[in-house]
Amino acid sequence: MKVGIVGVGMVGSAAGYAIALLGAASEVVLVDHKPELAIAQAEDIAHAVPFVGTCRVSAGDYALLAGADVVILAAGVAQVPGESRLSLLARNADVFADVVGRVLAAAPQALLVVASNPVDVMTGIARRVSGLPPERVIGSGTILDTARFRTLLADHFGIAPQSVHAFVLGEHGDSEVLAWSLAHVGGEPVGSAAAKLGRPLTDGDRARIDDGVRWAGARIMAGKGATWYGIGAGLARIVQAVRDDQRAVLTVSAHTALVAGMADVTLSLPRVIGAGGVIATLMPDLTADETAALRHSAQVLKDAAGDLW
């Protein structure tokens, strides 16, 4: 499978690196408004490939995206420490309008995967600008937040994160919703698992984990200026699900007709991802408090999108 990446700063290059090392694609093409950056990133990633497998990595202009099955959009101005994802909206919207048109001119059949922040709103913009059906425009959404949630729960219980099933819903941002009622460990609800594993899960523990998930990005940005490894791996995971038609359930952002009483909003829910993009959405049964929080998150995003459209 051929994957294009537009915008090869830290996020785009990390995605290319993860895709190449995981063997998630047979070919990766890097495009950037700084051609010398794309060329350097491609050469650097290509030098890692012989250690793990085979993947052709190259750089060029938009025309080189022809035939791409998936194009990751990581272009846009960077978020600065202390700046919310939503405050990036106006600065990134104009960039996206141009980028999406050029991508589809070269690769009209491509499925779009959006990584640029604020990712939920940018996913909505990409859908409208592209004219593609909603299932073919996927935002990375809360795939990383969900990984953080699973990791912190696993740390608490002293088990592997792969044995934890949990979801973060709504906005990839401050209003995101940790769906505690859906969290399971080895098929057991987390409360039951805590008792059986001898690892009590107190209100304080829940607050600590919530803080660890919700503000992880801000803490990482304070330390090194941006986050890229986690989201790079998350983007590679989406590519794998598309390439192999895995029908994997991932918390990604997509246009949603109705959620928590809110109509026509782009946000993250558990979605079945395969070769066609979003194949189905698993609308979760939440508690009343979680439903209210999800509605608030949807309203935040709807208000932000409304400022633009």
Side-chain angles (χ1 to χ4, degrees):
M1 184 170 77
K2 181 175 180 178
V3 174
I5 302 175
V6 179
V8 293
M10 298 312 299
V11 170
S13 62
Y17 182 66
I19 290 167
L21 264 62
L22 288 171
S26 57
E27 182 178 2
V28 175
V29 175
L30 308 183
V31 177
D32 196 273
H33 74 285
K34 297 179 180 178
E36 66 280 7
L37 175 62
I39 292 169
Q41 298 282 36
E43 185 174 5
D44 197 12
I45 294 170
H47 292 165
V49 172
F51 295 107
V52 295
T54 58
C55 178
R56 181 168 176 262
V57 184
S58 61
D61 60 18
Y62 284 89
L64 203 60
L65 296 174
D69 303 284
V70 174
V71 175
I72 295 171
L73 304 177
V77 293
Q79 186 178 9
V80 298
E83 181 182 31
S84 72
R85 294 180 180 96
L86 291 178
S87 70
L88 285 172
L89 176 58
R91 295 201 293 146
N92 268 332
D94 290 341
V95 173
F96 245 51
D98 176 62
V99 166
V100 171
R102 298 176 73 178
V103 166
L104 292 181
Q109 76 292 337
L111 186 153
L112 302 182
V113 176
V114 180
S116 303
N117 277 319
V119 68
D120 303 293
V121 179
M122 299 310 292
T123 301
I125 291 172
R127 180 183 68 85
R128 297 189 189 197
V129 170
S130 69
L132 292 173
E135 64 271 16
R136 296 192 61 80
V137 183
I138 303 172
S140 56
T142 58
I143 194 169
L144 176 56
D145 309 272
T146 289
R148 291 167 173 163
F149 191 15
R150 293 172 64 198
T151 296
L152 291 177
L153 281 171
D155 288 346
H156 178 82
F157 290 120
I159 62 175
Q162 291 83 359
S163 297
V164 177
H165 297 277
F167 300 109
V168 177
L169 312 175
E171 177 201 0
H172 173 54
D174 298 352
S175 72
E176 64 189 26
V177 181
L178 278 66
W180 284 95
S181 68
L182 302 179
H184 284 71
V185 174
E188 293 279 349
V190 288
S192 173
K196 292 181 179 180
L197 292 171
R199 305 270 185 145
L201 188 63
T202 67
D203 289 344
D205 293 324
R206 289 176 183 252
R208 172 180 53 80
I209 290 170
D210 185 289
D211 179 83
V213 174
R214 193 177 304 276
W215 306 114
R219 283 192 295 272
I220 293 169
M221 288 180 66
K224 68 175 194 175
T227 67
W228 54 82
Y229 293 125
I231 190 56
L235 292 164
R237 181 69 188 92
I238 295 170
V239 169
Q240 284 181 318
V242 173
R243 180 197 64 185
D244 297 335
D245 194 24
Q246 289 180 349
R247 312 299 175 100
V249 178
L250 305 172
T251 49
V252 295
S253 187
H255 176 263
T256 308
L258 183 66
V259 56
M262 299 291 294
D264 296 321
V265 61
T266 300
L267 80 179
S268 286
L269 291 169
R271 303 185 194 271
V272 181
I273 305 300
V278 177
I279 295 169
T281 296
L282 299 174
M283 194 66 67
D285 293 324
L286 302 173
T287 66
D289 286 346
E290 289 168 345
T291 299
L294 184 58
R295 179 180 175 83
H296 169 69
S297 190
Q299 185 67 64
V300 167
L301 290 168
K302 199 169 181 67
D303 289 346
D307 289 341
L308 182 64
W309 298 99

